[in-house]
Amino acid sequence: MGEGFTDTPQGVGHGGGREASHVPVLLKEAIDFLAVRRGGTYIDATVGLGGHSYEIAKRLGAPGHLIGLDKDPAALEIARKRLTPVVGVRSSVLGETKDQEPKTHDPRPDWPEITLLHRSFAEIAKGQKRSSVDGILADIGVSSLQLDNAARGFSFQAEGPLDMRMDPHSERTAEQVVNHVDERQLADVIYEFGEERRSRRIARAICRSRPIRSTAHLADVISAAARPMNQAERRIHPATRTFQALRIFVNRELDDLKALLDAAPQILKPGGRIIVISFHSLEDRIVKDAFRDGAMKDMYYRILTKKPVVASEEESDRNPRARSAKLRAAERV
């Protein structure tokens, strides 16, 4: 979230302990569309490791204010270190606000106020006045910071607990879903959020194999139930879509995205812009529909991207996660 790493094209599943590239996906395109105004107020709704935020901050200058949100306190801590080596930067992590003294001398005195908040982007409007924000950037999805840590339970290629929570303080875990949701609802989750055609077969196999306690065990159960039938299916691991579905369901990702898109027009100033980078069709469809309705029905948006912006071949070769990225942008009128 907020960073482009070397993940699978679907943005889910693979771990393997690879090092993050620390290069945000579609960085230049996102910053160009955001058109940062010096002295403005901007929200990075998925601050991640702070890659997009850093580029926004450089353009804001001392009069500006950058607000970074993230569900993941581990990501916020990394972002804080990256974004707060300067005097006068304020960060709020896990609800505690304090002034941060510089650890090293920084030659850039022209640096904005920065506030980091442990918060879902569904709460983007919390504490914001109407028409008070110049721009919003949201890079939706899961990052290698989460995927590469087997203890977080996102990866089907590493032995780990069935967790999958982006916010480790939230209540619902993947283990609870896998072991306690009834077969019909589980099949619906896998079909709706994973777009998995074999959802009923997979759900039946999961229920018959309970209790399932680890990611590797779950991946084995899914693989046995959904063996690839053709070359196209062999290109991705049989567990990919099911793991995606569980992650989205556990973290309420689509509901949070809808809440973000509902709130954005209320807090954006006229001329303010919203940029959303998504990584699978479910997210992109929600963003596309929200922008279209905002432009044609409610008349508060001007769409800046008639078609989604995708990564160049060079960026996709350098960072496989970028292959599935789609950027859409709109401007408040």
Side-chain angles (χ1 to χ4, degrees):
M1 301 178 67
E3 298 290 330
F5 301 111
T6 307
D7 301 338
T8 62
Q10 290 78 21
V12 295
H14 287 276
R18 290 165 293 181
E19 291 298 320
S21 67
H22 298 285
V23 179
V25 166
L26 295 170
L27 176 60
K28 181 182 185 304
E29 294 84 351
I31 296 300
D32 286 348
F33 274 109
L34 202 57
V36 177
R37 304 171 184 172
R38 178 177 171 79
T41 298
Y42 287 80
I43 299 178
D44 186 342
T46 49
V47 71
L49 304 188
H52 285 115
S53 286
Y54 186 83
E55 294 301 320
I56 295 170
K58 286 199 304 185
R59 291 159 174 79
L60 270 179
H65 187 192
L66 174 62
I67 302 165
L69 313 179
D70 208 293
K71 286 182 176 181
D72 190 339
L76 280 174
E77 182 60 22
I78 294 172
R80 184 188 65 79
K81 292 176 181 177
R82 185 173 191 176
L83 296 169
T84 62
V86 291
V87 176
V89 175
R90 208 171 53 202
S91 73
S92 177
V93 179
L94 299 178
E96 297 181 2
T97 304
K98 59 182 180 179
D99 291 329
Q100 299 292 333
E101 292 298 327
K103 294 181 180 179
T104 58
H105 173 69
D106 191 3
R108 294 170 294 129
D110 191 25
W111 199 247
E113 176 186 355
I114 295 176
T115 305
L116 300 180
L117 300 169
H118 179 222
R119 182 181 298 174
S120 165
F121 51 69
E123 301 177 279
I124 194 169
K126 185 177 179 180
Q128 299 299 324
K129 295 180 180 178
R130 190 178 184 88
S131 302
S132 61
V133 175
D134 294 280
I136 297 168
L137 174 64
D139 178 355
I140 309 297
V142 64
S143 76
S144 285
L145 176 69
Q146 295 156 338
L147 287 170
D148 288 347
N149 184 350
R152 301 293 295 272
F154 287 98
S155 172
F156 53 71
Q157 290 198 338
E159 180 78 30
L162 280 169
D163 193 317
M164 297 194 191
R165 293 173 296 175
M166 291 179 178
D167 181 354
H169 299 93
S170 61
E171 295 181 1
R172 183 164 60 189
T173 67
E175 182 176 352
Q176 292 169 340
V177 177
V178 165
N179 289 308
H180 299 291
V181 169
D182 68 65
E183 182 179 323
R184 183 173 180 177
Q185 185 184 0
L186 184 59
D188 289 344
V189 166
I190 296 169
Y191 181 79
E192 180 181 355
F193 299 128
E195 299 180 297
E196 172 60 77
R197 292 175 297 143
R198 300 164 293 182
S199 59
R200 297 197 182 282
R201 190 190 317 168
I202 293 170
R204 188 178 309 118
I206 289 173
C207 290
R208 289 176 177 176
S209 302
R210 289 171 171 169
I212 299 175
R213 301 301 184 195
S214 74
T215 53
H217 185 191
L218 177 60
D220 287 344
V221 170
I222 297 168
S223 296
R227 297 185 185 280
M229 302 298 292
N230 53 52
Q231 191 60 39
E233 289 184 355
R234 289 189 182 95
R235 286 201 295 264
I236 65 170
H237 192 285
T240 297
R241 294 189 180 94
T242 300
F243 268 63
Q244 172 185 296
L246 292 171
R247 190 203 82 221
I248 289 173
F249 184 69
V250 165
N251 294 287
R252 299 176 174 86
E253 292 177 38
L254 301 187
D255 288 340
D256 283 2
L257 177 57
K258 291 173 184 176
L260 162 67
L261 293 167
D262 286 345
Q266 311 306 316
I267 63 174
L268 279 173
K269 296 178 181 178
R273 294 185 171 187
I274 176 170
I275 317 299
V276 181
I277 302 171
S278 61
F279 292 88
H280 59 73
S281 59
L282 295 173
E283 295 169 341
D284 182 60
R285 195 177 307 136
I286 291 171
V287 177
K288 177 184 177 181
D289 290 347
F291 285 1
R292 182 195 60 206
D293 290 347
M296 301 181 66
K297 185 188 299 183
D298 301 310
M299 308 298 288
Y300 52 62
Y301 275 148
R302 177 171 70 91
I303 295 176
L304 303 177
T305 49
K306 291 183 179 180
K307 293 182 178 181
V309 176
V310 298
S312 66
E313 185 176 345
E314 179 184 356
E315 180 176 1
S316 295
D317 288 343
R318 186 175 66 249
N319 183 0
R321 184 181 186 239
R323 294 172 191 163
S324 58
K326 293 182 178 180
L327 180 153
R328 293 186 185 270
E331 183 177 271
R332 187 72 164 91
V333 296

